[in-house]
Amino acid sequence: MSEKNYEFRKRLEVVHKPDRRDPNVRASAQEVEITDEWRIVIAKDAGPVVLNVAKDLQDYLLVSMDVSVPVRRVSDPALAASSEENVIVLAERRQLPALGQNLTEPRSYRLFAEANRITVCGFDERGVGQGSYFLEDLMNLKEAPIVSRQDITRAPLFSPRMVHSGWGLDHYPDAHLNAMAHAGIDAILIFVKDVNETPDGFLDFNYLIDRANLHGLDVYAYSYITSRKHPDAPDAEEYYDGTYGKLFAACPRLKGVIFVGESCEFPSLDPNTTGMLRLEWPKDKPQTKVSPGWWPCVDFPQWLNMIKKVVRKHNEKADIVFWTYNWGWAPEEPRLNLIRSIPDDITLLVTFEMFEQIKHEHVTNVCVDYTVSFEGPGRYFTSEAQAASERGIKLYTMCNTGGLTWDIGVIPYEPVPFQWARRHAALLEARDKWGLSGLMESHHFGWWPSFLNDLTKAAYWSAPAPAEDIFAAVAKRDYGAEAAPYVLDAWRHWSEGIRHYIPTNEDQYGPFRIGPSYPFIFRNGVSIPESKHAMFGTEIVNAHYQPAESARQSLGASRFDVELRSLGRMLELWEQGNEALRKALQLTPEAKLTEGRRLLGMNEFIVLTIRTVIHAKEWWKLKQRLFIEADPLKAATLLDELVKIAEAELVNAEAAIPLTEADSRLGWEPSMDYMTDPDHLHWKIRQIRSLLDSELPGYRKSLALTDLELI
């Protein structure tokens, strides 16, 4: 059954999967079964978050477990928790002082399951929510409204856990917010150009803050506000009062603001920079220095102090987050000097894996942008984390554990759980070593609900089960006991396959960004179609494939062979994983097949994407040889090889069409919109056919004419 564009959003409306109950599962003597005779109990003075949580649990039991229970308000939830039977009590520690006395962390909770009673005691309202969602998790794994008798206390290991929307840029329907809360996320990000203004247009920020709070989520502003004044300017405070001050005056309940160099640069006086905003540099004037947003400017501390001053007039606890993403490449000394001089009450955000130099055979590659191929941490992160730790500055990282990076740009998530687990472990180690406390888990490619969320959530709370145990339980839950070993085999192959991905600028901004719709240029340039409403569209796609070191083509050529060998191994492992999943699906119960087929379709799409990248590198190599080949006969042979690649890529694009028709999320990304939907793939097919029918034959004809001239 095919989906129209954007139809994937219907799936995002489903937070509680229907009919998860296995009627064959029975409760043992050490387990508690919830039946229609039970009820959910909350305090009469329960806040709106707890009421929302109670209604959510009621919906879950009905939709997922076929159990219908009422929600009741009581004057004394402590009495219900101690003496009533057949109740699920949801309450805060202030209402359950005996149960909650050892809860010390925001969002922490205690789950106490007795023979005929289950109590969720939260440190606060959000803790109640997380405890209730954990109760759902336990029943999902059991595939029945049954939980073991237990008394467990859990606390989050990271906060905030921030994500962007996977529904659409800065769009957060209630169901999407609810799914995020269930996944343990506690904050969302919106791009902010002005009060109630995002790159996508008007958005009522305060209304979003209200709705997010009902699901236990904070809202951070990701700044797109232009800063045209140096903090030393006589009217600087007045100017910044009119930008950031204005924002927090209008929306004082924003949790904080994220600053990253390229989006918050100001006219720095640092002599290492141009001193001008990058978009205001004259286009006809050579730029011999970097823009201020790409350097650890010595006057950033002054700028941050100015921002603090105007923001904290309106929210004295506002989290001001300073992200060093854009100058992680710079020498260590100026980077660390900046960290040693920023204000104490500023939060430092450092990207976890970027800029790491990794040797593949005889070539050293750099992690140029977000990737999970290297789990991290990189030396850039560790150097700045150590400096932050020495100063006692709060430390966050951009880690992408929402499930996606720029490795493959138009899929919903990267299904490489064992590799994600390696990153989870590295992040937890950074927590122990340097006090890492907060995570940014996605950028504008957004967050998507998947089985990865269960694995990540398990890792990010105290008292986690071993990762292998969680993987086995989730595979059994989603595919059945017979199929689970094959599912785990598939996950292992893909997780090993991603380790053979080598992140490069030309790939991450080229064929890996959009996959099988990526054009192949011979000599005539092309313009990829784009949506007029997209924030970036093709702005972040480079259609003319060549090594990023275009001035040093020989370097690109030398590393391309290394990358091709590594991609060949990645492709082999991915295909082996797909074959393991096909075996799993033959053993999967019918009721569980839909998600499994969708997972297979995504991984078949990934295989096609890898092939496109391989073809793009081979295409570039052959073109370089062809354009310098003086012998017409040898040139004709090279042209034959180009024709074979074009024909193979034609087949590749055609194979992607049914996959994108079956899953409308494939080929879409929030900031680019659709780049690899059926329309774009048909465009690619026409582009390749024009090469085969016109441009390549025309070049062959010119070779024949040259051959005649030599006779």
Side-chain angles (χ1 to χ4, degrees), residues 149-168:
R149 297 190 196 182
Q150 59 189 286
D151 186 358
I152 184 172
T153 298
R154 304 183 81 220
L157 301 179
F158 296 108
S159 182
R161 290 182 54 197
M162 301 179 274
V163 295
H164 285 276
S165 172
W167 191 95

Side-chain angles (χ1 to χ4, degrees), residues 170 172 190 195-198 201-206 208 211:
D170 297 321
Y172 290 95
I190 50 172
V195 176
N196 295 334
E197 183 183 350
T198 75
F202 175 82
L203 176 66
D204 186 338
F205 292 170
N206 287 320
L208 176 59
R211 290 193 298 109

Side-chain angles (χ1 to χ4, degrees), residues 420-636:
W420 284 117
R422 295 182 188 101
R423 177 157 295 178
H424 298 155
L427 290 163
L428 291 168
E429 185 178 3
R431 178 180 181 270
D432 294 337
K433 280 186 175 180
W434 302 297
L436 176 66
S437 61
L439 309 176
M440 182 184 287
E441 298 194 65
S442 77
H443 212 307
H444 51 72
F445 32 75
W447 175 84
W448 183 267
S450 75
F451 72 95
L452 294 179
N453 305 144
D454 301 292
L455 314 180
T456 302
K457 180 179 177 180
Y460 289 171
W461 284 77
S462 61
E468 291 275 355
D469 292 353
I470 297 294
F471 289 0
V474 169
K476 178 179 177 293
R477 178 197 70 189
D478 291 350
Y479 296 90
E482 282 189 273
Y486 293 101
V487 173
L488 291 168
D489 192 35
W491 290 355
R492 287 190 185 94
H493 278 96
W494 300 330
S495 298
E496 181 59 27
I498 199 64
R499 293 166 73 87
H500 292 271
Y501 176 105
I502 301 176
T504 67
N505 273 318
E506 65 271 9
D507 289 342
Q508 287 195 326
Y509 282 83
F512 265 129
R513 182 145 297 190
I514 64 173
S517 65
Y518 189 74
F520 278 51
I521 293 174
F522 185 62
R523 289 192 297 186
N524 298 337
V526 299
S527 296
I528 303 172
E530 63 180 350
S531 301
K532 62 182 179 181
H533 59 267
M535 182 170 80
F536 289 133
T538 59
E539 184 182 335
I540 54 174
V541 183
N542 183 2
H544 188 189
Y545 191 80
Q546 61 181 359
E549 314 90 348
S550 56
R552 296 175 291 160
Q553 298 284 1
S554 59
L555 176 60
S558 68
R559 66 176 173 79
F560 267 24
D561 289 337
V562 173
E563 291 162 13
L564 280 166
R565 286 190 286 274
S566 197
L567 284 169
R569 181 58 179 151
M570 180 184 179
L571 178 62
E572 181 183 14
L573 286 162
W574 228 279
E575 289 178 317
Q576 289 171 357
N578 289 2
E579 185 56 35
L581 183 59
R582 290 187 189 99
K583 291 177 182 177
L585 295 182
Q586 293 174 1
L587 301 170
T588 300
E590 182 67 31
K592 299 176 186 286
L593 275 175
T594 299
E595 285 300 316
R597 287 169 177 155
R598 194 170 282 123
L599 179 63
L600 179 60
M602 181 176 73
N603 282 282
E604 289 174 339
F605 182 89
I606 291 172
V607 163
L608 299 179
T609 296
I610 299 168
R611 286 183 179 151
T612 292
V613 179
I614 291 172
H615 291 159
K617 290 183 186 298
E618 292 173 337
W619 180 266
W620 181 86
K621 285 180 60 186
L622 283 168
K623 280 201 309 179
Q624 305 319 298
R625 291 173 58 194
L626 174 64
F627 291 155
I628 62 172
E629 180 56 65
D631 184 336
L633 293 177
K634 291 180 179 178

